[in-house]
């Protein structure tokens, strides 16, 4: 058992509230939040209509401190190499402003903040997927003052981490939940270029899907008469009934999710939790009254159906697949009609039998899952009995004006949908008024400038150079979207690493000569190796044991022993799925010759992150699966510049995942509706499979991810090895499909290339 941290854990739990506007910030302060978190402009994991400026953050920091409270800044998105100057300038300004903490995800950003801006207190974002004591202690030892745990943990797991680690722990107590572990969701990025790790998520988990037998999906669309289900749409987390228990477990901070939410949501939610926290020691009867009042407040906050999440018990309540899992109050079923307000007006309207009171000025959302259309709008006009009205009551049938209904900028022919009320006009007026209130009035918005000399010094330390050429490497045709194949006899051959879910036969034949074989470290494979005895390492000289990105708390001891056993049998190469897993190897002496590699799940998108890996002795790191061409080249050019100055930096190779069916969702949930042999089909006819392995649920596209045409181009940039992933299905079938893509027989068939050509938003 680890000793406790030298940092004292607070006696009472902090209530941490979100703010995406000045008015939400003020509401959180007024209602009793101990601290508020806001997003750093351009680098936070929530895409807001308007980010706070650094001058705004300076004013809010002083306002919070004057009130005896704290302000945290979420700078928790991944940073592309091209953005590094702006990111370092932001760090420089924040170091001057002095917020109480900076919440980060990007390992490169952490590397630079810790080394060059030590005055900044750092919190490890939930996007770092900390889900066990290994991660909590690793990040604490690295210099994080607080760790925000993954939302998938039970009270028992939280208690174990609190008891056995040195970390100060923050947990999400209320708000939206992602289907996938935060930091491991690739869905939004792979299907549309909008990265959830960069605040751009388009929420594919909120769409409805159909279940079909695999052969039915070959035609490219859902069959008739099959009901759509909201398979992955999580209900909102509500932990208000567990506050006493969490206090006993030693949690230091309770975070409310919702920087995209309205001021009314922030006000009501903070008030509810403050009320309960202030009455933890009240008599039972009084606590019951308080709990009812708090739940009434949460009912008014216009969030989704509430659930206890993963804290305890039956997880079936987390997703109700037959219900629409969206925020807001259901306002009714909408029949789209022609707008009768003005015969010359071609905009649509809808006829609705109201399920709640509605007023002009309310914020509404129309959505039609069959056409994949979702439009939010402010209600401008409404009629009842052919007469304009400003208010309508529940039960009345009214005509409501809609905005143009479109999907990706194209007008859609929509006949019906569902209408939700997501905010009311009264609170929206208060929100507008709040932006002119005390923060901006009483605190002058002084522009704080970065220390340019220090910024330049930091950038030189990571090889960054403004104005560096972006595009294909010199002498290599980028041929965007086209295959780049040239005679292999006159060029260096790629290093192919084959990734397998199970240990392959020593006589297995491959479409390429593999330099390395990646195999998951799991019980069956370990037993096979043990049966071979001392000759195992000689039979598999290319073997690299893979660790998964999620290792449940209960399994840490097994993995620690398995690593030790494999090293004893002569194996020395391992690939980590989470940066904290380097801790498994700290006890081995240098004579063991351990070589570590990092999977793409470590989320490397810049050269500073590569340097962080190099400092931990990692021999090879897969670059982010989400990367685009320009980001990859910029990072590798920076790396080459550093290698030219100091050869020691060349000890870390950079790899790229170029073929496979990577998990789009990696989830803990194993609800009944997910236990199916059928395929999942989106409204657009995209087919996916659901698979349960290693106590996790994986959702993969049936269409493979293919970057084979760009291998030569990436080699010229400096990529050292390429991973062919055969895990997502039958290995022999996967080998045949990979061979077809390699030799060009499958050119023209449907494939994904992520953001490589189109660019990462």
């Amino acid at each position: 058992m680890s000793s406790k941290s030298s940092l004292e854990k607070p006696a009472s739990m902090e209530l941490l509230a979100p703010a995406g506007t000045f008015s939400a910030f003020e509401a959180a302060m007024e209602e009793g939040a101990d601290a508020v978190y806001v997003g750093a402009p351009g680098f936070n994991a929530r895409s807001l209509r308007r980010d706070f400026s650094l001058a705004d953050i300076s004013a809010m920091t002083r306002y919070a401190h004057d009130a005896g409270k704290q302000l945290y800044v979420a700078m928790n998105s991944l940073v592309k190499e091209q953005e590094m100057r702006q990111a370092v300038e932001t760090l420089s300004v924040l170091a001057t402003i002095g917020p109480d903490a900076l919440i980060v995800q990007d390992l490169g950003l952490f590397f630079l903040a810790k080394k060059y801006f030590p005055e900044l207190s750092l919190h490890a974002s939930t996007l770092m997927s900390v889900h066990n004591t290994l991660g909590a202690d690793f990040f604490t030892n690295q210099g994080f003052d607080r760790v925000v745990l993954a939302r998938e943990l039970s009270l028992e797991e939280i208690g174990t981490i609190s008891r056995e680690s040195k970390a100060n722990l923050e947990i999400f107590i209320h708000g939206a939940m992602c289907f996938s572990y935060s930091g491991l969701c690739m869905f939004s990025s792979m299907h549309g270029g909008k990265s959830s790790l960069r605040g751009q998520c388009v929420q594919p988990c909120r769409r409805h899907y159909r279940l079909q037998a695999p052969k039915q999906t070959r035609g490219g669309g859902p069959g008739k008469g099959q009901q759509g289900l909201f398979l992955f749409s999580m209900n909102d987390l509500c932990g208000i009934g567990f506050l006493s228990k969490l206090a006993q477990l030693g949690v230091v901070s309770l975070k409310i999710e919702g920087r995209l939410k309205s001021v009314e949501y922030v006000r009501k939610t903070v008030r509810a939790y403050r009320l309960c926290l202030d009455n933890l020691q009240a008599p039972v009867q009084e606590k019951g009254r308080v709990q009812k009042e708090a739940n009434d407040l949460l009912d008014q906050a216009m969030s989704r159906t509430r659930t206890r999440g993963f804290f305890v018990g039956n997880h079936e309540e987390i997703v109700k697949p037959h219900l629409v899992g969206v925020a807001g109050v259901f306002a009714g079923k909408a029949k789209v009609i022609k707008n009768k307000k003005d015969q010359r007006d071609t905009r649509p309207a809808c006829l609705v039998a109201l399920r709640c009171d509605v007023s002009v000025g309310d914020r509404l959302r129309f959505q039609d899952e069959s056409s994949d259309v979702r439009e939010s709008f402010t209600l401008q006009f409404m009629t009842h009995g052919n007469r304009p009205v400003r208010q309508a009551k529940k039960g009345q049938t009214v005509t409501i004006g809609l905005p143009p209904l479109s999907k990706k900028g194209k007008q859609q022919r929509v006949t019906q949908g569902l209408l939700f009320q997501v905010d009311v006009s009264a609170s929206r007026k208060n929100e507008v008024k709040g932006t002119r209130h005390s923060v901006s009035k009483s605190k002058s918005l002084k522009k704080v400038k970065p220390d340019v000399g220090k910024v330049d010094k930091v950038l030189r330390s990571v090889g960054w150079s403004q104005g560096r050429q972006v595009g294909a490497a010199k002498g290599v045709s980028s041929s965007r979207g086209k295959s780049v194949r040239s005679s292999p006899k006159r060029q260096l051959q790629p290093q192919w690493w084959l990734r397998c879910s199970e240990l392959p036969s020593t006589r297995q034949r491959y479409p390429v000569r593999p330099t390395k074989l990646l195999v998951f470290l799991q019980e069956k494979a370990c037993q096979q190796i043990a049966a071979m005895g001392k000759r195992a390492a000689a039979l598999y000289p290319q073997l690299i044991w893979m660790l998964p990105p999620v290792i449940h708390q209960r399994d840490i001891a097994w993995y620690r022993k398995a690593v030790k056993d494999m090293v004893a049998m002569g194996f020395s190469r391992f690939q980590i799925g989470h940066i904290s897993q380097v801790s498994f190897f700290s006890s081995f002496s240098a004579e063991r010759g351990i070589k570590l590699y990092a999977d793409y799940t470590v989320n490397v998108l810049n050269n500073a992150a590569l340097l962080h890996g190099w400092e931990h002795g990692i021999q090879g790191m897969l670059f982010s699966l989400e990367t685009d061409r320009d980001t990859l080249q910029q990072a590798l050019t920076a790396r080459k510049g550093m290698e030219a100055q100091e050869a020691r930096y060349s000890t870390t190779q950079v790899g790229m995942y170029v073929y496979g069916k990577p998990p789009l969702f990696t989830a803990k949930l194993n609800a009944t509706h997910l236990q199916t042999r059928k395929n999942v089909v989106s409204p657009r006819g995209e087919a996916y499979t659901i698979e349960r392995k290693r106590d996790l649920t994986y959702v993969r596209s049936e269409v493979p991810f293919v970057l084979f045409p760009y291998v030569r181009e990436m080699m010229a940039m400096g990529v050292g090895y390429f991973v062919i992933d055969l895990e997502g299905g039958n290995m022999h079938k996967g080998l045949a499909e990979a061979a077809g893509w390699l030799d060009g027989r499958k050119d023209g068939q449907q494939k994904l290339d992520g953001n490589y050509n189109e660019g990462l938003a």
Side-chain angles (χ1 to χ4, degrees):
M1 181 180 293
S2 302
S3 62
K4 286 291 181 185
S5 171
S6 58
L7 298 170
E8 289 188 11
K9 298 187 178 182
S12 60
M13 292 184 294
E14 170 189 86
L15 181 59
L16 177 56
T21 62
F22 272 126
S23 55
F25 170 76
E26 292 161 4
M29 289 280 161
E30 291 166 2
E31 296 298 339
D34 301 301
V36 175
Y37 64 103
V38 300
F43 295 106
N44 67 90
R46 286 291 184 270
S47 181
L48 300 172
R49 291 188 295 274
R50 175 193 175 276
D51 279 331
F52 288 120
S53 69
L54 291 170
D56 293 338
I57 291 173
S58 179
M60 287 188 288
T61 300
R62 284 176 285 147
Y63 184 93
H65 289 174
D66 287 349
K69 301 187 178 186
Q70 296 187 306
L71 186 116
Y72 306 145
V73 178
M75 197 174 174
N76 59 340
S77 71
L78 290 185
V79 180
K80 298 196 290 187
E81 185 71 23
Q82 303 94 305
E83 301 166 337
M84 195 53 74
R85 171 169 282 280
Q86 183 186 350
V88 176
E89 288 178 349
T90 300
L91 287 175
S92 175
V93 172
L94 289 173
T96 301
I97 292 172
D100 296 281
L102 192 64
I103 306 166
V104 299
Q105 169 200 188
D106 190 289
L107 291 176
L109 199 65
F110 162 71
F111 174 82
L112 296 177
K114 191 64 185 173
K115 189 171 184 178
Y116 296 103
F117 302 97
E119 60 269 46
L120 287 169
S121 174
L122 300 176
H123 292 180
S125 169
T126 191
L127 287 159
M128 285 180 148
S129 300
V130 179
H131 51 274
N132 55 33
T133 52
L134 200 71
D137 271 339
F138 174 82
F139 286 122
T140 301
N141 292 335
Q142 285 286 293
F144 282 96
D145 296 311
R146 184 184 291 181
V147 172
V148 186
L149 292 178
R151 281 171 255 209
E152 288 76 9
L153 300 181
S154 67
L155 290 175
E156 182 181 358
E157 289 169 316
I158 293 169
T160 300
I161 296 170
S162 178
R163 190 170 58 251
E164 298 184 7
S165 82
K166 301 179 290 184
N168 285 316
L169 302 180
E170 176 179 303
I171 66 160
F172 277 90
I173 192 67
H174 193 94
M177 297 176 67
C178 301
F179 180 76
S180 178
Y181 275 88
S182 296
L184 296 177
C185 180
M186 297 286 116
F187 210 133
S188 181
S189 186
M190 294 296 101
H191 285 266
K194 302 290 188 180
S195 171
S196 62
L197 308 184
R198 287 174 49 80
Q200 299 291 327
C201 184
V202 296
Q203 296 190 313
C205 56
R206 301 298 180 191
R207 298 158 74 189
H208 81 168
Y209 296 83
R210 298 180 188 271
L211 295 175
Q212 294 179 338
K215 64 180 181 180
Q216 288 179 284
T217 65
R218 305 298 182 197
K224 293 182 179 180
Q226 292 174 316
Q227 184 182 10
L229 299 170
F230 295 89
L231 298 173
F232 312 118
S233 187
M234 308 281 273
N235 291 325
D236 276 6
L237 173 65
C238 178
I240 204 160
F242 303 112
L243 300 184
S244 295
K245 179 64 175 177
L246 289 166
Q248 295 169 10
L249 295 180
V251 170
V252 304
S253 182
L254 304 174
K255 175 180 274 183
I256 297 169
E257 182 275 340
R259 281 189 291 123
L260 291 176
K261 300 289 182 65
S262 70
V263 62
E264 201 66 13
Y265 167 89
V266 173
R267 184 180 300 282
K268 295 289 175 60
T269 306
V270 172
R271 187 185 297 172
Y273 278 88
R274 182 76 274 157
L275 185 64
C276 288
L277 285 170
D278 289 346
N279 287 277
L280 286 182
Q281 306 304 320
V284 174
Q285 187 173 354
E286 177 64 12
K287 285 178 74 173
R289 184 196 65 77
V290 165
Q291 190 80 29
K292 182 182 184 305
E293 183 178 345
N295 279 307
D296 288 342
L297 286 166
L298 295 177
D299 287 340
Q300 299 167 28
M302 293 193 176
S303 57
R304 299 177 183 88
T305 301
R306 299 195 295 276
T307 172
R308 298 175 298 173
F310 292 96
F311 283 142
V312 292
N314 184 2
H315 298 159
E316 296 289 335
E317 68 178 30
I318 296 178
V319 173
K320 297 292 186 183
H322 295 281
L323 300 177
V324 182
V326 298
V329 176
F330 180 50
K333 294 181 179 180
K335 179 182 179 182
V336 178
I337 58 176
K338 185 176 180 181
N339 189 343
K340 295 182 179 180
K341 177 191 177 188
D342 185 340
Q343 293 300 322
R344 295 168 296 177
D345 193 341
T346 59
R347 292 176 301 172
C350 64
L351 201 64
V352 187
L354 291 175
R355 299 284 190 93
C356 64
D357 295 350
V358 171
S359 300
V360 170
D362 288 358
R363 191 72 178 164
L364 306 179
R365 183 196 299 114
F366 175 91
Q367 76 184 56
D368 172 36
E369 293 295 341
S370 62
S371 58
D372 202 26
V373 166
R374 296 185 183 193
E375 293 288 347
S376 296
F377 63 100
T378 299
L379 179 56
Q380 301 291 341
F381 84 93
M382 172 172 56
T383 62
H384 174 58
N386 294 324
R387 296 179 60 185
V389 293
R390 295 196 61 80
Q391 295 179 324
K393 297 292 185 181
K394 177 181 178 181
Q396 291 182 329
T397 297
V398 297
T399 300
I400 285 176
L402 295 172
L405 303 177
S406 62
K407 180 179 72 175
K408 291 190 173 180
K410 297 180 180 180
Q411 289 291 110
Q412 289 290 110
R413 186 176 182 276
V414 179
T415 60
Q416 61 184 4
L418 303 175
L419 202 65
F420 297 87
Q421 183 187 53
V422 294
D423 203 358
V424 294
S425 56
S427 69
R428 287 173 55 74
K429 289 177 183 176
N430 290 336
E431 187 152 2
V432 173
K433 181 180 178 181
T435 61
R436 305 187 188 97
H437 201 239
S438 48
V439 176
S440 55
K441 285 287 186 182
S442 65
K443 302 297 176 184
S444 57
L445 299 181
K446 296 179 181 178
K447 186 174 182 180
V448 186
K449 296 182 179 180
D451 182 337
V452 176
K454 186 171 185 178
V455 168
D456 288 341
K457 176 185 175 182
V458 173
L459 292 172
R460 284 195 299 272
S461 76
V462 290
W464 195 89
S465 174
Q466 189 174 17
R468 184 181 295 117
Q469 183 180 358
V470 177
K474 186 177 180 181
V476 179
S477 170
S478 69
S479 302
R480 291 182 183 247
K482 298 179 181 179
S483 176
V484 179
R485 291 193 179 87
S486 53
S487 172
K489 296 180 181 178
R490 298 182 182 180
Q491 298 180 347
L492 291 174
Q493 293 303 297
Q495 287 192 36
W496 299 112
W497 291 24
L498 265 60
R499 173 175 173 148
C500 313
S501 57
E502 297 182 350
L503 191 69
S505 166
T506 55
R507 292 175 289 184
Q508 177 67 56
R509 301 183 68 180
Y510 304 101
V512 294
R513 178 176 294 179
T515 307
K516 298 287 189 293
L517 286 176
L518 294 158
V519 177
F520 271 107
L521 185 64
Q522 52 189 326
E523 189 172 0
K524 181 180 177 181
C526 288
Q527 290 172 347
Q528 290 173 313
I529 288 294
M532 298 175 194
K534 295 181 179 179
R535 61 196 183 104
L539 288 171
Y540 288 96
Q542 306 154 306
L543 184 60
I544 298 177
W545 289 110
M546 286 191 296
L547 299 173
V550 176
I551 294 178
H552 299 301
Q553 180 64 37
R554 65 179 181 273
D555 297 328
I556 289 178
W558 185 91
Y559 276 99
R560 198 181 298 279
K561 182 178 184 303
V563 165
K564 184 177 180 180
D565 290 346
M566 292 303 104
V567 171
M569 295 191 70
F571 293 98
S572 59
R573 296 187 182 94
F574 297 83
Q575 178 174 278
I576 59 174
H578 190 277
I579 189 65
S580 66
Q581 292 166 4
V582 297
S583 305
F584 279 133
F585 306 93
S586 58
S587 62
F588 294 109
S589 63
E591 288 74 22
R592 290 289 192 176
I594 301 296
K595 292 184 177 180
L596 297 182
Y597 304 89
D599 205 349
Y600 67 81
T601 51
V602 174
N603 292 327
V604 172
L605 208 56
N606 54 63
N607 187 47
L610 293 172
L611 284 173
H612 182 76
W614 173 81
E615 282 202 338
H616 286 285
I618 297 176
Q619 302 284 306
M621 302 186 80
L622 281 178
F623 212 71
S624 170
L625 193 68
E626 296 190 321
T627 192
D628 54 35
R629 171 189 280 107
D630 294 343
T631 300
L632 176 64
Q633 184 177 343
Q634 290 267 16
L636 291 177
T637 303
R639 183 173 176 273
K640 285 179 180 178
M642 296 188 66
E643 288 175 8
Q645 297 176 37
E646 294 192 56
R648 61 192 178 126
Y649 292 126
S650 64
T651 56
T652 300
Q653 277 190 303
V654 177
M656 275 294 291
Y657 182 110
V658 294
Y659 177 81
K661 296 179 179 178
L664 302 177
F665 289 145
T666 300
K668 182 176 183 177
L669 188 66
N670 187 29
T672 302
H673 70 274
L674 298 173
Q675 299 165 6
T676 175
R677 294 174 181 242
K678 295 181 178 180
N679 283 353
V680 176
V681 183
S682 78
R684 300 175 186 173
E686 303 150 329
Y688 307 94
T689 58
I690 300 176
E691 178 185 32
R692 186 75 180 175
K693 279 186 177 181
R694 297 182 288 275
D695 287 333
L696 293 170
T697 296
Y698 300 94
V699 178
R700 307 176 192 269
S701 172
E702 281 213 332
V703 175
F705 177 83
V706 182
L707 291 184
F708 284 138
Y710 314 108
V711 165
R712 295 287 173 193
E713 174 180 299
M714 290 188 281
M715 288 178 69
M717 292 180 192
V719 176
Y721 61 97
F722 302 91
V723 172
I724 299 174
D725 184 5
L726 306 173
E727 186 196 2
N730 179 277
M731 180 173 176
H732 297 291
K733 182 180 178 182
L735 283 167
E737 289 185 357
W741 285 105
L742 270 167
D743 62 23
R745 285 182 288 115
K746 287 187 174 288
D747 282 358
Q749 293 191 20
Q750 191 177 6
K751 69 179 187 298
L752 300 175
D753 61 7
N755 308 304
Y756 190 77
N757 281 307
E758 298 300 323
L760 173 62

